[in-house]
Amino acid sequence: MGNKVAAVIGGGVIGGGWAARFLLNGWDVQIFDPDPQAERKVGEVLANARRSTPGLVDVVLPAEGKLTFHDTIEGAVDGAVWIQESVPEQLAIKHKTFAQIQGVCAPDAVIGSSTSGFKPSQLQEGAARPGQIIVAHPFNPVYLLPLIEVVPTAENTPAFLDGAEAILTSMGFYPLRVRKEIDAHIADRFLEAVWREALWLVKDGIATTEEIDNAIRYGFGIRWAQMGLFETYRVAGGEAGMKHFMAQFGPCLSWPWTKLMDVPEFTDELVDLIAGQSDAQSGAYSIRELERIRDNNLVSMMRALKAQDWGAGALMNAQEATLRAASPTGTRIDQMADVSTPLLTVHRAVPLDWTDYNGHMTEAKYLQVFGDATDRFMNMIGCDAEYIGAGGSYFTAETHIRHVDEALAGAVIAVRTQVLSGAGKKMHLFHELFEGERLLATGEHFLLHVNLETRRPSEPSAPVLAALERVADAHAALPSPKGVGRAVGQRP
Amino acid sequence: MGNKVAAVIGGGVIGGGWAARFLLNGWDVQIFDPDPQAERKVGEVLANARRSTPGLVDVVLPAEGKLTFHDTIEGAVDGAVWIQESVPEQLAIKHKTFAQIQGVCAPDAVIGSSTSGFKPSQLQEGAARPGQIIVAHPFNPVYLLPLIEVVPTAENTPAFLDGAEAILTSMGFYPLRVRKEIDAHIADRFLEAVWREALWLVKDGIATTEEIDNAIRYGFGIRWAQMGLFETYRVAGGEAGMKHFMAQFGPCLSWPWTKLMDVPEFTDELVDLIAGQSDAQSGAYSIRELERIRDNNLVSMMRALKAQDWGAGALMNAQEATLRAASPTGTRIDQMADVSTPLLTVHRAVPLDWTDYNGHMTEAKYLQVFGDATDRFMNMIGCDAEYIGAGGSYFTAETHIRHVDEALAGAVIAVRTQVLSGAGKKMHLFHELFEGERLLATGEHFLLHVNLETRRPSEPSAPVLAALERVADAHAALPSPKGVGRAVGQRP
């Protein structure tokens, strides 16, 4: 692809997002934007991108490229092999911008337009070289979302388009080539349809903006994050398949809420066309397989949101808090009459996102379980969210895990925690992980209480220390568990 | 809520999903469905639910309830405090079903209808006790998705509705009470709008079903999984807020693609109504905070999909494979001239989903990194996906981690791996995790080669063993790293 130099013409949220995507994939970026605030605005987008984009994949990205700001379009375009236009949505401005770009740019450079409103034939009107202009329509945040709608005309050669798409793909984009130009391309037609419907619902007092957002994100929104419209409906149709689904759902098109608009006639030809395309798209999987893929995806995304305490994940945390309050794992030491035996700190089912393709719990999740057990024990002795918020916590200094046996997705597992010692800043725990009576692993952990401001060891509060010492004293009478004090590879 | 007994009338995909949600939350479920295949169909939904629902939260759910099938509606309804109707979408059938239910059910039981097509006032027509009938419209898969549209009429008392919603919430549902009844409630109005638009696009040859699905799931679909329409647009509007966004976007409503239908007039009142509701919904956060919340969510969900190798995650894996092939971490031992120093096995940025609310890499992710390092080293010696597919692999038997220092989100980290010994079935590795020159942690791991069928120790293949021995021999000359052979809590 020659030298990795991109010009970004127009540096708002969208232009800044393009700049970030190029830079973080190792391209030099040359920006032109007459807005005196452009450098600050691009800098803010870039700050967001730098914290989120580099860790997306499990390998380091190329070294970040060089960012420069230019006073003229000519200066920004110099040497660029990709020129991305994100100026305001007015055709005259776009035409003038293209003329300036084409006055200086390489004839084989790609000129992509971020337009959502214009068709490529409109953009190419009157251009010196229409064949180097395409629509390359991104989605915000451009540094994260993969979709780029690539809309060409007959002026763009197949070789040119292949080259442009290869560049997009190399940066983690998904170029979706639109077969025929159409107003608003593809995705924005859906967004417009939903937006119109939403405006009616708000205006008519059916729902507020928040209720509408919840209707989306707690239902079909999370489905659409992993399968789109047709594959979701294919699964919903069940064993009888897409034709059956359409037979069920199609007639709804003539229901009252379609009175406002034309709808496509529901002919056999249309049903066959859609069912055939759906077979080509998803036919490699049975409905049963698609259901399980869908569920794996949903569980994984919902648990990802749970860790962020947002959306569906926040609902899950609320349900969990209620269940936890009624569970021994949610009980504090000062509420327990007897702490003389190892304490139940984890009691849960192995979730789908903790397992490999064979359904076995993966290695790293053993430390996840033991870390969770430590967190619960900390909560039990009063080192809870409030305490941590006030600046104290325990940090793990050292861990030893013995992997004894395997667990499958759905298995109900439990951790019992014995305090080997607890005094002053120090806490020495031994966790045993079971499925029923079967020992799966042990985790031995040495922790230090720290001051979260200095990140240095410090004394815990008196109540926390008292609770810890109460358990440590009670557990001192227990036998030393098998595996304590082992070094890795030591003979039994 | 009295005794936890639910009746499920109609046991298809939706009724089966309701049954699974109730059962897995500790309710007894009594099903009536005249379909001779009902028991098999419900069993299949329940099998899916049993593998995906119990692990959603990090605490064990109540013990599964008892499932029974009944020959009559009367038998199924006996003793139930919630009766869920999911019979075919024909009003006469629904009315007949409600009459039978109300002939025997408790007068304070909730009768919920899964209808998407009928308004509650239609359902209540001619009922003995209209006040106990509501729309409770779920989304497939009912055992995972939280949304239930609760649509009442004036016949339903506030106390009755509060009680019904408390039951739904206790099972992890999100009851969305719809303010006024309307055809198709809320979410399905959006689904219908998108479905109509999609049918046009397919019919007119603009895009195939697969291209449409990709336009959804690689772009706005994943955004809508965590924020809906309005909060997403609020963020897109940037610092200028929702009014600015609407000023920009609103005029598009009069663009050509709206020619097919009525659109709401874009009055100041409508703008103020929406901007005010958006403030109430999201005003607790600045735009900058919402951007970061959005990005945290997107990165977490995209990486969740990456682990499933699906959707946006499959694209990320494809990009990673290209980058990996050009990286030392993707190079095989037999392609390396010199293996005499510790090998680079991980080189990456700390992703947002690996960190706590303060941006520090969490404890469990240290084993994730070391596990990844082990996986890369296994790949380097030829124990790759193909080898594992043929039935051999290494399992970790024992792990020792020393936590030395912290890492923040975005930090570029690297693991260097030294082979302490490698012979026969045994492999003893020592990983050192660095950010630049700063040591963050060490991981000592003892692994055994296993036959994946018997899950018992076995000899590796000759080429794998030869590659391992080559590195072990070369590393035998290296000094023993600090921390090797330590037991937890041992004095230095």
Side-chain angles (χ1 to χ4, degrees), chain A residues 406-422:
Chain A
E406 302 181 272
L408 290 169
V412 174
I413 55 175
V415 173
R416 298 196 172 270
T417 298
Q418 179 170 341
V419 178
L420 298 176
S421 68

Side-chain angles (χ1 to χ4, degrees), chain A residues 44 143 288 348 406 455, chain B residues 44 288 295 406 455:
Chain A
E44 283 169 356
Y143 49 83
R288 201 58 67 213
R348 62 162 307 138
E406 302 181 272
R455 317 299 281 187
Chain B
E44 283 168 357
R288 200 60 66 212
D295 291 356
E406 301 181 271
R455 318 299 281 186

